[in-house]
Amino acid sequence: MEVSIAGENALIVYVGEEASPATAAKVQAASDAIKQALGDDLIDLVPSYASVLIIYDALKTDHLSVDQRVRKALTQLHSQTDIKGRTTTLPVYYDPEVGADLESLAARNDLSVDEVIAIHAGTEYRVYAIGFAPGFAYLGQVDERIAAPRLATPRQSVPRGTVAIADRQTAVYPAASPGGWNLIGRCPIRMFNPESTPVMPVSVGDTVRFEPVDRDTFLELGGELS
Amino acid sequence: MSLEVVLPGMLSLLQDRGRFGAHNIGLTTGGPLDPKAYRYCNRLLSNASDSTVIEISFGGAHFRCQAHTFICVTGASMPLTINGETKALWTVHPVAPGDDIQLAYAITGCRSYLGVADGFQIAPSFGSTATVMREQIGGLHGDKLLPGDLLPCIEVKHRKLLRLAPKHQPRYQNRTTVRVVPGYQQNHFSQVELNRFYSEAYKVSDRCDRMGYRLEGAAITSDMQGMLSEGICFGAIQIPADGQPIVLLNDRQTIGGYPKLGSALSLDAARLAQLRPGDIVHFAPITEFEAHNALHLAESAIYRLPLEQFA
């Protein structure tokens, strides 16, 4: 692990070189240890694919103290790579009706639509990072057989709840927004709901599974088709 | 009791000190682009230091008072009038129902803070009232102020009439030097590239907003061939493929995948955010220890510089 300066009140810890389930586990273990080590001196923590950004209160503590505490906490990390966060199952209505790119993605990868659904729902994902927009969780890794590059021309608006694939990542759009990912279905569970506690059903490091549901179930669970 | 927005000007936003501890759900910090001017606004009004004020960019704003209270405007030199009469900035003024408060376009600087006694009474979202339009969070409805908005405030009868002596008021200019704490991917920039970055003059481009200030000047290149997205701290200086630096500010995205050569000192990023397109920026590297000292001194000054009571 490597600890670098990021700014006047920020350090960044690099735990690996590439995105992988093993790296994600290290990110999570490091995040937990850093939170404990810094307590109230910590202002914000941004875990991502292979790094953890630490933002601390520079008026309460200083760079040397934080650096020392972080390094100490990291050396005490055992090979806790088996530690998993919670597992969350998200229902998905996979259908061209709500997944405009489902058929073209299948054709592109020489698969049937059913095979694409089986592979997407048959894989366990890790939450690698949350960012880009409130509640936007990057999930990986998507099986290579259903990976697909971003669209050449992003859509003006992708509806809330849309399940999509870009390269070897998948995500559920937390709100309607422009987007260049390949749309394959829709999830009735809100990924970002300021009125609920917790606000998001997942955190970085959690495991996510997708469960195919039919149209009626999707609607019963509060899904919207428009 | 409230303050009515008659005309919001180009961009007026409710802001408190910012939203902290919510990066884990993808929320950025928001908050005042010029924290020094923001904090003096609250200190002059004898408010809690994190009270909600209006950040007015460029000026051209008009408000109508519907309460007996006190106001103070700090920051850019936007000519202030109350009922047509010129009033001093960095100074507390009593106002009464029906009073017309106008801020003309800024002469120097471009961000001002209009506060009221005890602050605007806004319900916080995720612990803060800071408005981030990109996220549609904070403020009244996650949006900028619009004509007709009513900003709730409290009826206040007595407040000390304080001002900051002119010699202590910041002078906003059209060029600034931004001190930088080198970090992040700095080792992926050669010494030649770093020397260029720290010696050239950069111009503020038209693409400067609350997310970041994009600059124009000598292109900087790194040897990075793509990188994983990672957390972006305040002030991070990102070098995209075209080599033109972007200083990321309050409304930045919390993660991103462009190489960064370090981060601007927050005190200087605040002065950068007072610049307009065409203004000039120089960069100078400092150590994290120098940055730490500068932060402590600035903090002390904000609390301890004497204010003058004038009535």
Side-chain angles (χ1 to χ4, degrees), chain B residues 24-290:
Chain B
N24 61 320
I25 52 172
L27 300 185
T28 194
T29 39
L33 285 172
D34 185 347
K36 180 176 172 179
Y38 160 81
R39 290 180 60 188
Y40 268 115
C41 183
N42 279 324
R43 187 177 165 213
L44 285 159
L45 285 162
S46 308
N47 286 350
S49 64
D50 58 351
S51 299
T52 302
V53 309
I54 308 171
E55 178 181 272
I56 298 156
S57 290
F58 307 107
H62 180 183
F63 304 92
R64 190 168 297 122
C65 195
Q66 302 186 351
H68 283 280
T69 181
F70 296 81
I71 66 157
C72 178
V73 178
T74 60
S77 53
M78 286 179 197
L80 166 68
T81 58
I82 299 178
N83 298 329
E85 195 178 314
T86 301
K87 298 285 178 184
L89 304 177
W90 304 88
T91 303
V92 174
H93 303 286
V95 286
D99 281 358
D100 240 19
I101 301 164
Q102 298 207 34
L103 281 159
Y105 284 95
I107 298 159
T108 59
C110 61
R111 321 281 173 187
S112 292
Y113 297 87
L114 188 163
V116 294
D118 291 346
F120 293 103
Q121 305 297 303
I122 308 293
S125 310
F126 302 99
S128 165
T129 63
T131 312
V132 179
M133 291 172 65
R134 178 170 62 78
E135 297 174 346
Q136 299 176 345
I137 284 173
L140 284 184
H141 329 280
D143 200 1
K144 62 184 179 183
L145 297 184
L146 298 170
D149 279 347
L150 296 176
L151 312 178
C153 57
I154 290 172
E155 183 102 353
V156 176
K157 293 270 164 56
H158 305 285
R159 190 103 330 172
K160 267 189 211 160
L161 295 178
L162 297 173
R163 73 178 165 216
L164 183 65
K167 66 176 176 186
H168 293 312
Q169 294 173 14
R171 300 267 178 278
Y172 300 106
Q173 286 160 350
N174 54 12
R175 59 172 60 226
T176 195
T177 297
V178 171
R179 288 164 286 178
V180 175
V181 180
Y184 276 121
Q185 288 78 31
Q186 60 156 329
N187 295 335
H188 289 274
F189 294 87
S190 71
Q191 200 54 50
V192 172
E193 296 297 320
L194 292 174
N195 288 347
R196 179 177 298 132
F197 176 73
Y198 289 117
S199 59
E200 295 281 342
Y202 285 90
K203 205 167 76 177
V204 175
S205 78
D206 293 340
R207 290 150 83 189
C208 58
D209 58 26
R210 289 186 47 90
M211 280 181 73
Y213 264 49
R214 188 180 286 262
L215 306 175
E216 287 168 355
I220 304 297
T221 54
S222 76
D223 62 12
M224 296 285 289
Q225 309 280 338
M227 55 175 277
L228 293 172
S229 281
E230 62 184 26
I232 303 174
C233 67
F234 178 81
I237 301 172
Q238 181 171 285
I239 310 290
D242 66 3
Q244 303 294 306
I246 306 171
V247 183
L248 295 163
L249 300 174
N250 304 56
D251 290 5
R252 69 196 178 281
Q253 292 183 345
T254 54
I255 62 172
Y258 289 108
K260 300 170 285 302
L261 46 71
S263 298
L265 185 71
S266 57
L267 306 169
D268 295 350
R271 290 190 300 143
L272 173 69
Q274 289 282 8
L275 298 186
R276 315 169 192 212
D279 289 348
I280 300 296
V281 185
H282 284 91
F283 293 99
I286 56 166
T287 66
E288 62 275 26
F289 306 109
E290 290 167 320

Side-chain angles (χ1 to χ4, degrees), chain A residues 56-112:
Chain A
Y56 58 87
D57 188 338
L59 296 172
K60 279 206 249 164
T61 182
D62 60 68
H63 169 77
L64 290 172
S65 163
V66 174
D67 187 75
Q68 187 179 54
R69 282 183 282 166
V70 166
R71 285 177 197 274
K72 190 172 169 214
L74 294 176
T75 56
Q76 288 167 354
L77 279 187
H78 303 295
S79 49
Q80 302 171 344
T81 46
D82 304 336
I83 293 184
K84 282 194 176 180
R86 295 164 303 165
T87 297
T88 303
T89 301
L90 298 173
V92 180
Y93 171 42
Y94 294 98
D95 193 274
E97 180 183 15
V98 287
D101 302 316
L102 186 57
E103 287 166 327
S104 58
L105 186 145
R108 175 197 173 90
N109 293 18
D110 287 325
L111 297 168
S112 69

Side-chain angles (χ1 to χ4, degrees), chain A residues 91-223:
Chain A
V92 180
Y93 171 42
Y94 294 98
D95 193 274
E97 180 183 15
V98 287
D101 302 316
L102 186 57
E103 287 166 327
S104 58
L105 186 145
R108 175 197 173 90
N109 293 18
D110 287 325
L111 297 168
S112 69
V113 163
D114 285 346
E115 284 169 327
V116 170
I117 295 170
I119 294 168
H120 189 260
T123 306
E124 213 171 60
Y125 301 94
R126 263 335 257 239
V127 180
Y128 280 160
I130 292 172
F132 167 63
F136 196 99
Y138 293 85
L139 310 176
Q141 304 259 57
V142 165
D143 192 301
E144 250 168 324
R145 290 172 294 166
I146 59 166
R150 284 172 176 77
L151 306 177
T153 309
R155 288 185 170 85
Q156 289 289 323
S157 183
V158 173
R160 182 172 84 197
T162 301
V163 180
I165 290 176
D167 301 320
R168 296 194 61 188
Q169 300 188 81
T170 185
V172 181
Y173 278 76
S177 72
W181 291 32
N182 301 272
L183 319 185
I184 62 167
R186 205 173 290 177
C187 171
I189 308 292
R190 281 182 70 175
M191 295 301 284
F192 183 82
N193 185 355
E195 275 82 50
S196 78
T197 312
V199 173
M200 288 187 65
V202 301
S203 314
V204 171
D206 283 1
T207 300
V208 174
R209 292 177 156 283
F210 293 109
E211 183 186 21
V213 295
D214 61 22
R215 196 173 192 269
D216 289 345
T217 312
F218 170 75
L219 293 172
E220 269 166 38
L221 291 170

